[in-house]
């Protein structure tokens, strides 16, 4: 078992039953011309997460952790997109509209894919999800159960939307979540701060919060054994 300095208390995990979850680090959220910008957001706010997340991915790969990436997006015919999600707000472009990086938030389009800096390696599962939570209408819970994963190291964007929704879903399913503060990002600085505070409040009501440097300091430099199936 390994222990990381965290809020509200130290976080203990077994690397053999722990996965690094990288949520929605897609061009659609981090680069101009995509879904995030169409909602009126300054996408440059999220870019500070890339460098620490790349370092954490390298450390997790060296330690042999299970790594799972997710992408938010919809089928080209939009049959998996609830009408309310499609019509809500006053975006400059709607889901499915053509944009400079392909159709907005549509699976298979260039803008829907993960940014080059954090590209998944062959063999790392990529979960496509239609909602904000990574467990809703996906195979994630089955995949984690098959690998006997109980602990999740959670990273990605955005803190108060897809990260929060996923952590809440995971917490209700019994997973112990550690959210890495410098590896999650929001378009709104105050939501970043409050979003993290909400996770660690009330004795860790949804999980724990730590910095990636403290996690990297305890990860083994060589691969751990995975549980046999
Ligand atoms: N808009 C916003 O902050 N986020 C999303 O729509 N999706 C994710 O967080 N991935």
């Amino acid at each position: 078992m390994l222990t990381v300095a965290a809020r509200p208390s130290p976080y203990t995990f077994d690397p053999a039953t722990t996965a690094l979850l990288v949520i929605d680090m897609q061009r659609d959220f981090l680069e101009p011309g995509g879904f995030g910008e169409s909602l009126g957001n300054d996408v440059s706010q999220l870019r500070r997460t890339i460098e620490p997340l790349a370092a954490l991915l390298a450390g997790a790969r060296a330690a042999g952790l299970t790594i799972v990436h997710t992408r938010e997006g919809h089928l080209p015919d939009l049959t998996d997109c609830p009408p309310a999600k499609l019509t809500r707000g006053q975006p400059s472009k709607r889901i499915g509209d053509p944009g400079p990086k392909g159709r907005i938030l549509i699976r298979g389009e260039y803008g829907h894919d993960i940014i080059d800096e954090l590209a998944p390696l062959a063999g790392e599962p990529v979960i496509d999800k239609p909602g904000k939570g990574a467990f809703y209408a996906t195979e994630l819970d089955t995949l984690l159960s098959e690998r006997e994963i109980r602990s999740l190291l959670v990273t990605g964007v955005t803190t108060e939307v897809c990260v929060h929704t996923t952590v809440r879903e995971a917490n209700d399913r019994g997973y112990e979540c550690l959210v890495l503060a410098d590896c999650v990002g929001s378009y709104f600085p105050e939501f970043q701060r409050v979003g993290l505070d909400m996770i660690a409040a009330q004795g860790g009501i949804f999980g724990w919060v730590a910095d990636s440097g403290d996690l990297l300091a305890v990860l083994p430099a060589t691969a751990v054994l995975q549980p046999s199936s």
Side-chain angles (χ1 to χ4, degrees):
M1 298 295 276
L2 302 175
T3 299
V4 193
R7 290 194 283 144
S9 58
Y11 176 81
T12 298
F13 67 104
D14 176 354
T17 58
T18 298
L20 173 63
L21 193 56
V22 186
I23 297 176
D24 300 359
M25 292 298 286
Q26 297 161 254
R27 298 188 184 100
D28 253 313
F29 295 106
L30 286 120
E31 296 184 358
F35 182 61
E37 192 175 75
S38 80
L39 299 175
N41 295 306
D42 169 11
V43 293
S44 70
Q45 288 286 336
L46 304 185
R47 299 202 67 82
R48 59 158 189 81
T49 59
I50 298 172
E51 200 178 307
L53 188 39
L56 183 57
L57 260 176
R61 284 169 179 149
L65 293 188
T66 294
I67 296 169
V68 181
H69 306 258
T70 72
R71 298 182 297 202
E72 179 180 348
H74 296 282
L75 298 171
D77 65 5
L78 296 173
T79 50
D80 62 349
C81 185
K85 184 175 180 182
L86 200 55
T87 57
R88 185 174 310 152
Q90 301 283 321
S92 60
K93 287 191 168 68
R94 297 212 180 264
I95 296 168
D97 283 353
K101 292 183 170 141
R103 293 178 67 201
I104 301 288
L105 214 61
I106 297 296
R107 294 182 192 175
E109 300 288 340
Y110 181 74
H112 171 264
D113 210 353
I114 293 168
I115 58 173
D116 293 334
E117 297 93 322
L118 302 173
L121 294 186
E124 291 175 357
V126 179
I127 302 281
D128 279 316
K129 62 190 186 62
K132 304 307 181 190
F135 288 86
Y136 170 68
T138 72
E139 66 279 27
L140 179 60
D141 201 27
T142 303
L143 183 152
L144 296 176
S145 300
E146 282 171 358
R147 296 172 190 231
E148 298 178 37
I149 299 293
R150 300 308 318 151
S151 304
L152 296 176
L153 309 172
V154 184
T155 65
V157 296
T158 63
T159 306
E160 77 280 13
V161 182
C162 290
V163 171
H164 246 251
T165 307
T166 299
V167 166
R168 291 168 189 235
E169 287 181 324
N171 184 60
D172 280 351
R173 287 166 173 78
Y175 296 96
E176 298 204 318
C177 295
L178 177 69
V179 178
L180 285 313
D182 52 333
C183 298
V184 295
S186 171
Y187 298 119
F188 304 90
E190 68 271 35
F191 291 174
Q192 171 75 5
R193 181 179 60 77
V194 173
L196 293 173
D197 285 351
M198 288 167 73
I199 291 165
Q202 304 185 60
I205 194 78
F206 299 130
W208 288 257
V209 177
D211 289 322
S212 64
D214 289 330
L215 174 59
L216 279 169
V218 304
L219 277 185
T222 52
V224 293
L225 286 177
Q226 301 294 325
S228 54
S229 51

